[in-house]
Amino acid sequence: MEASSSHHGLAILSIVLTSQIALTLAYPPFLNDRNIEYIKSSCSTTTYPKLCYRCLSVYASSINTSPKLLVHTALNVTLRASKATSRLMVKISRFHGLEPRVAAAMADCIEVIGDSVDELQQSLGELGHISSSNISLTMSDVQTWVSAALTDEDTCMDGFAGNNMNGYAKTMARKRIIKVAHLTSNALALINNYASSQGYYLP
């Protein structure tokens, strides 16, 4: 009975936080064809273009055709999703009845996702200080922070791998981490494109 209640509680928590993320990512401003095409073209160079377009097209009018604003928005979307996922995992970890291995993986993942959130915040801070005189150093720093965030997210996913890690909590957590990792990967691709457009090529 207790396990059933925990499962039900996790399901409700998942639905509530999913709705919050959806509202955060999908407040559509006025759109026009030129801005939409710019988003579509930019997203076509990412690893997950459909996800990229779905998350960024709603901000097309504020991005316009600015590669810097595109990168800034992509990082903001990724950061918000990372924070929401971190909150979800903390809540899941407090449920009773988690398998020991799932609980241990959850604890490790909460730590590295916290690092990922910090690194994404650092990247946004660096991007805010960019200028024509420091673009090479700034873009290198931004790439370093976002790459580190992606590594942390991959580390979290690896912790939930294996057939001995079955369970609803593991499935829900891994699904959210994969989404955040895909957003981070897309943001990194857009960062590289922006750097190239400014005449700076990342290694």
Side-chain angles (χ1 to χ4, degrees), residues 25-45:
L25 299 183
Y27 182 78
F30 175 76
L31 306 177
N32 66 49
D33 290 342
R34 180 168 175 265
N35 296 344
I36 284 292
E37 284 304 315
Y38 174 70
I39 301 297
K40 185 178 295 185
S41 174
S42 299
C43 284
S44 68
T45 65

Side-chain angles (χ1 to χ4, degrees), residues 85-86 89-90 102-116 152-160 173-174 177:
T85 296
S86 178
M89 297 193 70
V90 168
V102 173
M106 195 74 69
D108 291 340
C109 195
I110 287 169
E111 181 177 351
V112 294
I113 290 302
D115 292 340
S116 176
D152 284 332
E153 292 151 11
D154 287 340
T155 298
C156 176
M157 285 191 291
D158 290 343
F160 287 108
R174 184 173 169 80
I177 294 298

